[in-house]
Amino acid sequence: MSTSNHHLNDRPTAANLENPLYYLENMETVVAWVANHHADLLSASENARLSAFFELPRPARALLTRMVMRSGDLFRADKLNYPELGSPECDALKKLVVEVWLDAAPLLTLDDLFRLFTLAELRPAFAPILMQAGCAKNLAKAQMRKVLQNTFGDARSVVDWLGGCGAPVVRVNSMALFDRVRLMFFGNLRQSWSDFVLVELGHHRYEQVQFTSEARAFSERSQVDTYLAMNDCRECLDAGMLAAEVWAQVPQPSDNPWLTSRRDRLLLELGRQAERQGERKLALEALAASGHREARLKQLRLLERMKRFDDAWAIAANWPHAELSDAEAQGLARILKRLATKVKQPAPLALQRPPLREFTLTLPQTGRSVERVVRDHLSSPDAPVFYMENTLINSLFGLLCWNTIFKPIPGAFFHPFHSGPADLLREDFVSRRQAAFDQCFATLHDGGYRRQILDSYATKQGITNPFVTWPALNDALLTLALDCIPALDLHILFKRLLLNIREHRSGFPDLVRFYPEKSPPELCYEMIEVKGPGDRLQDHQVRWLQFFASQGIAASVCYLRWQTGEATP
């Protein structure tokens, strides 16, 4: 197969945005990548079609790319005007028709017609019918369509609809193939072509993950078909189809963990829709079948609303708390407390939350953010303070576990432009890498963690990582943090981070103060959350502060007040 300058072992690069046809270069990268890495998941005719794409003249490839990037598969030929293609546009269009990439006489429904043509263009064709129906001459477009929809139920060509007055319309014939290509490149259909074709990829550096056939999310064509079927189900739900009808179309469970996660998410949404539609029995069935972590509490709350208290208690009382994040544990505790009175069981003991350390500062207003005002006030040469918020602990974790985060396992990476694994927020992100994480955490006990973090900082500088914020780091800060934060504390913080990455990546205090002259067991660092006038702690911030207190990690809340006589914000 001819794929221009793209080859199987070449690492594709992003196009230069100064090139007017940069979007075509990026599209060629996508198509070549899929053709080279997933040819066995494509049919013979699909592989031949992708080969034919590269045989098209460049203007025809560019015009087809422009159409594929747009919404829908129907286009007016007179609206396909792209300055960078110059005068060959007409020839490019003809070539695409001759090569059967486009259908030059597609059948259009009434809705298609009204979407493509203006009221002024439609009115002459339907004037006699509207007149017979007694409609006003100045009927609005939406009203006109409503009048005509019962009369015209069949699809027709533009000529049959509008005679010779209608502009030519073409349909892209291979949109389903391009959707399949898009899925195998992105690993989802949520991202549009513009997410790759129109972004400035050259402004980022990406980790060079080793792509092997064993690391692919899809190992056989049927798995691609399963994903596409689940995507159809999700689109039906979004369109308002009855959940019971969609339920019948949901594919059976797969032994592919990545597809299982997608199915769990689909069943979660199906359960939500079923409950909204009054189908509570179906909602329970869907939520019980979903392994998504959000489905657990939703199932219990639904059982409560259905007054099936014994069933809810049986599930809630036996739920392993070790699996829950703080927010989930809090939600479960509230449910158990309500259920206990219904089933005449002893209410579970409320968790004793440690008190939070708090102090107040009254300072003159300077016009800067409250975090920077407090930082500058508290900082001193022997106890420097840094405004880090969520960046420091996340970055230390990302640097320590770099190779584990970018471990090439099925469903984690689909193309060379990932800033992190595609399954980062999935239920099984940690369990599928448990052994590798255990090895990283072992370095926190044998002392090797410091070298591992510093090596990653030196060798991976500037490469995107979902945990590492490069602009917030420098050599001095990193050394100070490793000198002052005990390895045991890092272990405790990293374990909580992995318990629920989506929830626990945020909520860290704003400031970190280091005491480099002190040595353990003395206080060597502390974290400080800053709240200005009228501001209050958010739930996820409270949970972090309570966690710090329970683990003996120094953290406090500073309430900043402006000195009297100063303007208040």
Side-chain angles (χ1 to χ4, degrees), residues 10 78 113 146 156 161 215 249 255 269 286 292 297 335 341 357 363 366 397 413 424 469 472 528:
D10 288 348
D78 62 335
L113 189 73
K146 189 173 181 179
R156 307 180 181 190
W161 279 118
Q249 301 173 24
D255 58 0
E269 183 57 31
H292 196 284
L297 293 180
I335 290 174
T341 60
R357 295 174 54 199
L363 301 172
T366 64
F397 170 80
F413 299 96
L424 179 66
T469 305
I528 304 167

Side-chain angles (χ1 to χ4, degrees), residues 343-546:
V343 298
K344 296 180 172 55
Q345 292 289 335
L349 295 176
L351 293 176
Q352 295 300 314
R353 300 294 184 184
L356 304 184
R357 295 174 54 199
E358 300 175 328
F359 66 98
T360 301
L361 288 177
T362 302
L363 301 172
Q365 187 176 0
T366 64
R368 291 179 301 152
S369 70
V370 294
E371 296 86 0
R372 287 176 170 80
V373 170
V374 173
R375 177 198 63 186
D376 293 347
H377 175 78
L378 295 178
S379 191
S380 65
D382 59 341
V385 180
F386 298 85
Y387 180 20
M388 300 302 297
E389 201 169 2
N390 298 313
T391 60
L392 180 61
I393 302 302
N394 278 307
S395 293
L396 291 173
F397 170 80
L399 292 171
L400 176 67
C401 301
W402 190 287
N403 291 336
T404 302
I405 293 166
F406 288 99
K407 188 177 180 65
I409 62 178
F413 299 96
F414 293 83
H415 55 77
F417 304 101
H418 279 288
S419 59
D423 65 337
L424 179 66
L425 302 180
R426 234 174 57 184
E427 300 290 291
D428 58 354
F429 172 76
V430 177
S431 62
R432 294 208 297 155
R433 300 164 174 82
Q434 191 63 65
F437 276 123
D438 288 344
Q439 290 178 359
C440 290
F441 280 37
T443 66
L444 292 166
H445 298 279
D446 64 23
Y449 73 99
R450 187 184 184 103
R451 175 47 50 200
Q452 196 160 313
I453 289 174
L454 292 174
D455 283 349
S456 293
Y457 179 75
T459 60
K460 304 297 185 180
Q461 188 71 223
I463 297 175
T464 58
N465 179 309
F467 295 96
V468 178
T469 305
W470 290 110
L473 303 178
N474 57 57
D475 293 280
L477 172 63
L478 204 56
T479 300
L480 195 57
L482 293 174
D483 285 344
C484 295
I485 304 177
L488 178 59
D489 286 12
L490 291 178
H491 191 166
I492 291 169
L493 295 170
F494 294 168
K495 279 189 68 176
R496 184 176 192 270
L497 178 61
L498 287 180
L499 189 61
N500 188 331
I501 293 172
R502 183 192 299 275
E503 181 182 320
H504 294 165
R505 272 197 299 181
S506 62
F508 286 95
D510 301 304
L511 309 179
V512 181
R513 174 156 54 182
F514 295 112
Y515 300 94
E517 301 304 319
K518 296 182 179 181
S519 301
E522 289 186 277
L523 174 67
C524 294
Y525 79 105
E526 63 176 323
M527 291 184 274
I528 304 167
E529 176 64 29
V530 180
K531 291 299 175 186
D535 199 2
R536 65 179 183 83
L537 291 170
Q538 303 298 309
D539 287 346
H540 64 306
Q541 294 173 330
V542 171
R543 288 192 287 268
W544 264 117
L545 290 164
Q546 290 174 338

Side-chain angles (χ1 to χ4, degrees), residues 101 162 193 243 296 521 567:
W101 288 97
L162 305 178
W193 286 107
R296 305 166 181 173

Side-chain angles (χ1 to χ4, degrees), residues 218-237:
F218 302 111
S219 59
E220 52 191 58
R221 182 180 176 87
S222 63
Q223 294 174 348
V224 183
D225 295 337
T226 296
Y227 185 102
L228 291 169
M230 289 193 292
N231 188 72
D232 289 343
C233 289
R234 184 56 192 258
E235 289 184 347
C236 289
L237 287 175

Side-chain angles (χ1 to χ4, degrees), residues 51 119 137 150 164 203 232 250 295 309 322 342 515 528 538:
S51 292
L119 178 60
K137 291 183 178 180
N150 293 329
H203 288 185
D232 289 343
V250 174
F309 304 122
K342 302 294 184 181
Y515 300 94
I528 304 167
Q538 303 298 309

Side-chain angles (χ1 to χ4, degrees), residues 243-265:
E245 296 179 12
V246 178
W247 176 252
Q249 301 173 24
V250 174
Q252 292 299 307
S254 168
D255 58 0
N256 181 312
W258 183 71
L259 287 177
T260 297
S261 174
R262 294 287 175 170
R263 187 175 184 273
D264 287 341
R265 194 174 304 173

